[in-house]
């Protein structure tokens, strides 16, 4: 389980047609992300970068992903 906290700079990132990244895409991207919390964060940021494709950003972007480590084997 991973908890994802993000600023509106992610959901409001615009593509070349001035369409926002949006919460539905954010949810799909997080659900499809591989691995642990760090992997989820990297996957999300990479997708936002691809979506915005060099567009000037008008807002800051911050994402915090929290996960729980698996218990150690005994």
């Amino acid at each position: 389980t991973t908890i994802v906290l993000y600023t509106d700079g992610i959901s409001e990132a615009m593509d070349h047609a001035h369409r926002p990244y949006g919460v539905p895409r954010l949810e799909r991207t997080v659900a499809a992300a591989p691995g642990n919390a760090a992997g989820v964060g990297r996957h999300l940021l990479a997708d936002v970068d691809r979506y915005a494709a060099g567009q000037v950003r008008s807002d800051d972007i911050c994402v915090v992903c929290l996960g729980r480590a698996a218990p150690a084997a005994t």
Side-chain angles (χ1 to χ4, degrees):
T1 302
T2 301
I3 296 172
V4 179
L5 307 171
Y6 63 93
T7 60
D8 63 349
I10 290 181
S11 58
E12 295 174 357
M14 298 286 184
D15 67 4
H16 286 289
H18 301 289
R19 294 176 297 219
Y21 188 80
V23 173
R25 182 179 177 126
L26 187 149
E27 290 172 341
R28 288 191 305 272
T29 302
V30 167
N36 58 15
V40 170
R42 283 191 296 271
H43 183 74
L44 177 58
L45 291 174
D47 192 59
V48 171
D49 281 342
R50 275 191 300 276
Y51 186 82
Q55 288 291 89
V56 175
R57 296 202 179 126
S58 61
D59 203 351
D60 63 318
I61 287 181
C62 180
V63 62
V64 176
C65 299
L66 305 167
R68 183 174 156 182
T74 56

